[in-house]
Amino acid sequence: MDTIAIASDHAGPQLRAELRAALEAAGHAVLDLGTDGTQSVDYPDFAAAVCRAVTEGRARFGVLVCGTGIGMAIAANRHRGIRAAVLHDTTEARLTRAHNDANVACFGARTTGVETALDALRAFLAQPFEGGRHERRVAKIEAQNG
């Protein structure tokens, strides 16, 4: 199984714990990069830690949780080699892997229920990249990311 790097800001420890438990139950190694409390922290720091784990090869995929998932996705997508998407359902999860070769899944602890997030994460991890015409597009994204 794959190693998955996971982190959250202060809005997401509970959802992160649920996602981590499901990943471990499925046989994945989990690199948990925090935070462990609800004291205010800066989400870009946690996004950067997960992105480093992915780009350095310590993890195949990353999972980020904040209040909406949006801040984490914005911060993550600033990192070369990262393609992060906010996921609200299994369709988005499957398509972002199949078409965008996304490697970081972002969730909103205040906007997405636990079961929906778990289903989306399972779909995300199970879906291979389709390649083909999508490879050209992903290459353009990487070329523009400097």
Short mmCIF file of all heavy atoms in Angstrom, two decimals, residues 1-2 4 23 26 28 60-61 87 90 93-98 101-102 105 118-130:
data_model
loop_
_atom_site.label_atom_id
_atom_site.label_comp_id
_atom_site.label_asym_id
_atom_site.label_seq_id
_atom_site.Cartn_x
_atom_site.Cartn_y
_atom_site.Cartn_z
N MET A 1 0.84 -1.19 0.00
CA MET A 1 0.00 0.00 0.00
C MET A 1 0.88 1.25 0.00
O MET A 1 2.06 1.19 0.29
CB MET A 1 -0.91 0.01 1.23
CG MET A 1 -1.96 -1.10 1.24
SD MET A 1 -2.89 -1.22 -0.26
CE MET A 1 -4.40 -0.49 0.12
N ASP A 2 0.24 2.36 -0.29
CA ASP A 2 0.95 3.63 -0.40
C ASP A 2 1.13 4.31 0.95
O ASP A 2 0.36 4.07 1.89
CB ASP A 2 0.15 4.59 -1.30
CG ASP A 2 0.05 4.08 -2.73
OD1 ASP A 2 1.08 3.66 -3.26
OD2 ASP A 2 -1.05 4.11 -3.29
N ILE A 4 0.67 7.82 2.74
CA ILE A 4 -0.15 9.01 2.56
C ILE A 4 0.25 10.03 3.62
O ILE A 4 0.25 9.72 4.82
CB ILE A 4 -1.66 8.70 2.72
CG1 ILE A 4 -2.08 7.46 1.94
CG2 ILE A 4 -2.50 9.92 2.39
CD1 ILE A 4 -1.96 7.55 0.46
N LEU A 23 -7.49 5.28 6.51
CA LEU A 23 -6.30 4.97 5.71
C LEU A 23 -5.51 3.83 6.33
O LEU A 23 -5.09 2.89 5.65
CB LEU A 23 -5.42 6.21 5.56
CG LEU A 23 -5.96 7.32 4.67
CD1 LEU A 23 -5.17 8.61 4.87
CD2 LEU A 23 -5.95 6.89 3.21
N ALA A 26 -7.15 0.53 5.96
CA ALA A 26 -7.02 0.02 4.59
C ALA A 26 -5.61 -0.46 4.28
O ALA A 26 -5.35 -0.92 3.17
CB ALA A 26 -7.45 1.10 3.59
N HIS A 28 -2.70 1.48 4.51
CA HIS A 28 -1.76 2.53 4.12
C HIS A 28 -0.89 2.94 5.31
O HIS A 28 -1.36 2.98 6.45
CB HIS A 28 -2.51 3.77 3.62
CG HIS A 28 -3.29 3.55 2.38
ND1 HIS A 28 -2.71 3.45 1.14
CD2 HIS A 28 -4.62 3.38 2.18
CE1 HIS A 28 -3.65 3.24 0.23
NE2 HIS A 28 -4.81 3.19 0.84
N ARG A 60 3.12 9.05 -1.45
CA ARG A 60 2.60 9.05 -2.83
C ARG A 60 1.52 10.10 -3.00
O ARG A 60 1.41 10.72 -4.06
CB ARG A 60 2.07 7.66 -3.20
CG ARG A 60 1.46 7.66 -4.59
CD ARG A 60 1.47 6.33 -5.26
NE ARG A 60 0.99 6.50 -6.63
CZ ARG A 60 -0.02 5.83 -7.13
NH1 ARG A 60 -0.64 4.92 -6.43
NH2 ARG A 60 -0.40 6.05 -8.36
N PHE A 61 0.67 10.24 -1.98
CA PHE A 61 -0.44 11.19 -2.02
C PHE A 61 -0.45 12.00 -0.74
O PHE A 61 0.10 11.59 0.28
CB PHE A 61 -1.78 10.47 -2.15
CG PHE A 61 -1.97 9.74 -3.44
CD1 PHE A 61 -1.93 8.36 -3.48
CD2 PHE A 61 -2.19 10.43 -4.62
CE1 PHE A 61 -2.10 7.67 -4.67
CE2 PHE A 61 -2.36 9.76 -5.82
CZ PHE A 61 -2.32 8.37 -5.84
N LEU A 87 -12.38 18.24 -2.61
CA LEU A 87 -13.31 17.17 -2.96
C LEU A 87 -14.57 17.24 -2.11
O LEU A 87 -14.49 17.34 -0.90
CB LEU A 87 -12.63 15.81 -2.77
CG LEU A 87 -11.33 15.60 -3.54
CD1 LEU A 87 -10.76 14.24 -3.23
CD2 LEU A 87 -11.54 15.80 -5.02
N THR A 90 -17.59 11.65 -4.62
CA THR A 90 -16.78 10.64 -5.30
C THR A 90 -16.57 10.96 -6.77
O THR A 90 -15.53 10.60 -7.34
CB THR A 90 -17.41 9.24 -5.16
OG1 THR A 90 -18.73 9.26 -5.69
CG2 THR A 90 -17.44 8.80 -3.70
N ALA A 93 -13.69 13.24 -6.95
CA ALA A 93 -12.49 12.49 -6.58
C ALA A 93 -11.99 11.65 -7.74
O ALA A 93 -10.79 11.65 -8.05
CB ALA A 93 -12.80 11.60 -5.37
N ARG A 94 -12.88 10.92 -8.39
CA ARG A 94 -12.49 10.07 -9.52
C ARG A 94 -11.97 10.91 -10.68
O ARG A 94 -10.94 10.60 -11.28
CB ARG A 94 -13.65 9.19 -9.97
CG ARG A 94 -13.90 8.00 -9.07
CD ARG A 94 -14.97 7.05 -9.60
NE ARG A 94 -16.31 7.63 -9.49
CZ ARG A 94 -17.00 8.17 -10.49
NH1 ARG A 94 -16.52 8.22 -11.70
NH2 ARG A 94 -18.20 8.67 -10.29
N LEU A 95 -12.69 11.96 -11.02
CA LEU A 95 -12.31 12.76 -12.19
C LEU A 95 -11.02 13.54 -12.00
O LEU A 95 -10.24 13.69 -12.94
CB LEU A 95 -13.46 13.69 -12.58
CG LEU A 95 -14.68 12.98 -13.17
CD1 LEU A 95 -15.81 13.97 -13.41
CD2 LEU A 95 -14.32 12.24 -14.45
N THR A 96 -10.77 14.04 -10.81
CA THR A 96 -9.53 14.80 -10.61
C THR A 96 -8.31 13.89 -10.67
O THR A 96 -7.24 14.30 -11.09
CB THR A 96 -9.56 15.65 -9.32
OG1 THR A 96 -8.54 16.63 -9.42
CG2 THR A 96 -9.35 14.81 -8.06
N ARG A 97 -8.46 12.63 -10.28
CA ARG A 97 -7.37 11.68 -10.45
C ARG A 97 -7.25 11.26 -11.92
O ARG A 97 -6.17 11.25 -12.48
CB ARG A 97 -7.60 10.43 -9.58
CG ARG A 97 -7.30 10.63 -8.13
CD ARG A 97 -5.82 10.66 -7.80
NE ARG A 97 -5.14 9.49 -8.33
CZ ARG A 97 -4.07 9.53 -9.12
NH1 ARG A 97 -3.51 10.68 -9.46
NH2 ARG A 97 -3.52 8.42 -9.57
N ALA A 98 -8.38 10.91 -12.53
CA ALA A 98 -8.37 10.39 -13.90
C ALA A 98 -7.91 11.43 -14.90
O ALA A 98 -7.14 11.12 -15.81
CB ALA A 98 -9.75 9.88 -14.28
N ASP A 101 -4.55 13.97 -12.74
CA ASP A 101 -3.48 13.30 -12.00
C ASP A 101 -3.23 14.00 -10.68
O ASP A 101 -2.08 14.19 -10.26
CB ASP A 101 -2.20 13.21 -12.84
CG ASP A 101 -1.23 12.16 -12.31
OD1 ASP A 101 -1.64 11.28 -11.53
OD2 ASP A 101 -0.04 12.24 -12.68
N ALA A 102 -4.32 14.41 -10.02
CA ALA A 102 -4.20 15.09 -8.72
C ALA A 102 -3.48 14.18 -7.74
O ALA A 102 -3.67 12.96 -7.74
CB ALA A 102 -5.57 15.48 -8.19
N ALA A 105 -5.54 15.51 -2.00
CA ALA A 105 -6.99 15.66 -1.79
C ALA A 105 -7.22 16.60 -0.62
O ALA A 105 -6.62 16.43 0.44
CB ALA A 105 -7.61 14.30 -1.49
N LEU A 118 -14.85 10.28 3.58
CA LEU A 118 -14.27 8.94 3.51
C LEU A 118 -14.51 8.29 2.15
O LEU A 118 -13.60 7.70 1.57
CB LEU A 118 -14.84 8.06 4.62
CG LEU A 118 -14.39 8.41 6.05
CD1 LEU A 118 -15.24 7.67 7.07
CD2 LEU A 118 -12.91 8.10 6.23
N ASP A 119 -15.73 8.40 1.64
CA ASP A 119 -16.04 7.85 0.32
C ASP A 119 -15.22 8.51 -0.77
O ASP A 119 -14.68 7.84 -1.66
CB ASP A 119 -17.53 8.01 0.00
CG ASP A 119 -18.43 7.10 0.80
OD1 ASP A 119 -17.94 6.12 1.41
OD2 ASP A 119 -19.65 7.38 0.84
N ALA A 120 -15.09 9.83 -0.70
CA ALA A 120 -14.32 10.57 -1.70
C ALA A 120 -12.85 10.18 -1.63
O ALA A 120 -12.20 10.01 -2.67
CB ALA A 120 -14.50 12.07 -1.52
N LEU A 121 -12.31 10.04 -0.44
CA LEU A 121 -10.90 9.67 -0.31
C LEU A 121 -10.64 8.27 -0.87
O LEU A 121 -9.66 8.05 -1.58
CB LEU A 121 -10.45 9.76 1.15
CG LEU A 121 -8.98 9.45 1.40
CD1 LEU A 121 -8.06 10.34 0.57
CD2 LEU A 121 -8.67 9.58 2.89
N ARG A 122 -11.53 7.34 -0.58
CA ARG A 122 -11.38 5.99 -1.15
C ARG A 122 -11.41 6.03 -2.67
O ARG A 122 -10.59 5.38 -3.34
CB ARG A 122 -12.48 5.07 -0.61
CG ARG A 122 -12.22 4.56 0.80
CD ARG A 122 -13.21 3.47 1.20
NE ARG A 122 -14.53 4.01 1.50
CZ ARG A 122 -14.93 4.42 2.69
NH1 ARG A 122 -14.12 4.36 3.72
NH2 ARG A 122 -16.15 4.88 2.86
N ALA A 123 -12.33 6.80 -3.24
CA ALA A 123 -12.42 6.92 -4.70
C ALA A 123 -11.17 7.56 -5.27
O ALA A 123 -10.66 7.14 -6.32
CB ALA A 123 -13.67 7.71 -5.09
N PHE A 124 -10.68 8.59 -4.62
CA PHE A 124 -9.47 9.30 -5.04
C PHE A 124 -8.29 8.35 -5.12
O PHE A 124 -7.56 8.30 -6.12
CB PHE A 124 -9.19 10.43 -4.05
CG PHE A 124 -7.98 11.28 -4.35
CD1 PHE A 124 -8.06 12.36 -5.20
CD2 PHE A 124 -6.76 11.01 -3.75
CE1 PHE A 124 -6.96 13.16 -5.47
CE2 PHE A 124 -5.65 11.79 -3.99
CZ PHE A 124 -5.75 12.87 -4.86
N LEU A 125 -8.09 7.56 -4.08
CA LEU A 125 -6.94 6.66 -4.02
C LEU A 125 -7.05 5.47 -4.97
O LEU A 125 -6.05 4.95 -5.43
CB LEU A 125 -6.74 6.17 -2.58
CG LEU A 125 -6.38 7.26 -1.58
CD1 LEU A 125 -6.34 6.68 -0.18
CD2 LEU A 125 -5.07 7.94 -1.93
N ALA A 126 -8.28 5.08 -5.28
CA ALA A 126 -8.49 3.91 -6.14
C ALA A 126 -8.41 4.23 -7.63
O ALA A 126 -8.16 3.34 -8.45
CB ALA A 126 -9.85 3.28 -5.84
N GLN A 127 -8.58 5.49 -7.99
CA GLN A 127 -8.68 5.87 -9.40
C GLN A 127 -7.30 6.14 -10.00
O GLN A 127 -6.59 7.03 -9.55
CB GLN A 127 -9.53 7.14 -9.54
CG GLN A 127 -9.65 7.65 -10.96
CD GLN A 127 -10.42 6.69 -11.85
OE1 GLN A 127 -11.51 6.27 -11.50
NE2 GLN A 127 -9.87 6.37 -13.00
N PRO A 128 -6.92 5.41 -11.03
CA PRO A 128 -5.65 5.72 -11.70
C PRO A 128 -5.81 6.91 -12.65
O PRO A 128 -6.91 7.24 -13.08
CB PRO A 128 -5.35 4.44 -12.49
CG PRO A 128 -6.69 3.83 -12.74
CD PRO A 128 -7.56 4.20 -11.57
N PHE A 129 -4.69 7.53 -12.96
CA PHE A 129 -4.63 8.58 -13.97
C PHE A 129 -4.84 7.94 -15.33
O PHE A 129 -4.22 6.93 -15.66
CB PHE A 129 -3.28 9.28 -13.90
CG PHE A 129 -3.05 10.35 -14.92
CD1 PHE A 129 -3.98 11.35 -15.15
CD2 PHE A 129 -1.88 10.38 -15.66
CE1 PHE A 129 -3.77 12.35 -16.09
CE2 PHE A 129 -1.64 11.38 -16.59
CZ PHE A 129 -2.59 12.36 -16.81
N GLU A 130 -5.71 8.52 -16.16
CA GLU A 130 -6.02 7.95 -17.48
C GLU A 130 -4.93 8.20 -18.51
O GLU A 130 -4.84 7.48 -19.51
CB GLU A 130 -7.35 8.51 -18.01
CG GLU A 130 -8.56 7.97 -17.29
CD GLU A 130 -9.87 8.53 -17.85
OE1 GLU A 130 -9.85 9.29 -18.84
OE2 GLU A 130 -10.90 8.20 -17.26
#
